[in-house]
Amino acid sequence: QVQLQESGPGLVKPSQTLSLTCTVSGGSINSASYYWSWIRQAPEKGLEWIGYLYYTGSTNYNPSLNSRVTMSLDTSTNQFSLKLNSVTTADTAVYFCARGYCTTSSCQLYYFDYWGRGTRVSVSS
Amino acid sequence: DIVMTQSPLSLPVTPGESASISCRSSQSLLRSDGNNYLDWYLQKPGQSPQLLIYLGSNRASGVPDRFSGSGSGGSGTDFTLKISRVESEDVGVYYCMQALQTPITFGQGTRLEIK
């Protein structure tokens, strides 16, 4: 059974960098069939896709956050990570990591089938 | 960006009755392969979202057949999630999501509650 688990600081100061890691178990991130994604949910709000990365290291970010986001993966530890810099209170949210299934031919995303439980990050001085 | 609009935003339902949620996209989600790239997720209270329906009408593994998804008229912009015989365990917020193009976008969510 595939499991994803987010980890990282629960409190970040404004203007600093938010850093989170997602540990994947029960399956390898070194696979052509999946995108590894970050999605967040501000308090009492809906879901916002932050971006995803592929096993090759290629990335695709939401343009609304593009200039502040960096994602990377580490196949040796089966983890992938998110860095969001210059955070403000608007970045306070529950951050989910998720696995996106895609077709192998062109890797068109189909759906997100496994999600972590989410980690709450507050931005406050 | 593709804008996803759900209605209603709140849905009180009597147990045993059926419920429907509508989702409309600002652009067609129909791809050249014939699939509509529209998914439905349920976020139960205190949990992460779980996949219910993918590619418009395909139930995810383990999802009861009380849940069904459809698209109307072949436009690729209008979709419906139907829940037959609503149960107390169906409570939560339902989201539609388009997977056709980045940025991936979600509807605002529909909160289903039991009357």
Side-chain angles (χ1 to χ4, degrees), chain B residues 14-101:
Chain B
T14 300
E17 298 291 307
S18 63
S20 289
I21 301 170
S22 172
C23 176
R24 177 167 291 178
S25 58
S26 61
Q27 301 174 35
S28 174
L29 302 183
L30 182 61
R31 194 169 179 249
S32 56
D33 59 8
N35 290 314
N36 284 299
Y37 282 77
L38 185 283
D39 306 326
W40 289 97
Y41 297 85
L42 165 60
Q43 187 173 29
K44 294 184 178 181
Q47 296 185 19
S48 53
Q50 60 187 81
L51 177 67
L52 294 175
I53 302 288
Y54 64 95
L55 297 180
S57 60
N58 298 277
R59 265 189 307 278
S61 176
V63 175
D65 60 8
R66 300 184 294 103
F67 292 87
S68 62
S70 62
S72 62
S75 65
T77 60
D78 292 293
F79 302 91
T80 301
L81 174 70
K82 182 175 180 181
I83 312 166
S84 303
R85 307 181 304 280
V86 169
E87 301 179 0
S88 57
E89 65 178 29
D90 301 333
V91 163
V93 181
Y94 291 78
Y95 293 96
C96 59
M97 182 199 89
Q98 66 83 15
L100 181 67
Q101 65 183 231

Side-chain angles (χ1 to χ4, degrees), chain A residues 15-109:
Chain A
S15 79
Q16 294 191 341
T17 296
L18 179 161
S19 295
L20 297 175
T21 297
C22 182
T23 300
V24 180
S25 58
S28 173
I29 65 172
N30 195 21
S31 168
S33 296
Y34 306 112
Y35 284 117
W36 303 98
S37 188
W38 291 96
I39 295 162
R40 71 180 182 179
Q41 186 170 35
E44 303 306 316
K45 299 292 186 183
L47 300 165
E48 180 182 25
W49 176 75
I50 300 171
Y52 55 51
L53 43 71
Y54 198 43
Y55 81 109
T56 56
S58 65
T59 56
N60 193 318
Y61 303 143
N62 192 322
S64 67
L65 299 167
N66 193 31
S67 61
R68 299 196 292 130
V69 174
T70 304
M71 294 182 186
S72 60
L73 52 78
D74 186 340
T75 55
S76 67
T77 58
N78 224 36
Q79 296 176 325
F80 62 101
S81 65
L82 167 70
K83 291 188 187 301
L84 181 66
N85 59 37
S86 304
V87 297
T88 69
T89 55
D91 295 309
T92 293
V94 174
Y95 286 75
F96 298 99
C97 57
R99 188 181 84 167
Y101 173 74
C102 67
T103 61
T104 54
S105 55
S106 60
C107 209
Q108 168 65 44
L109 177 70

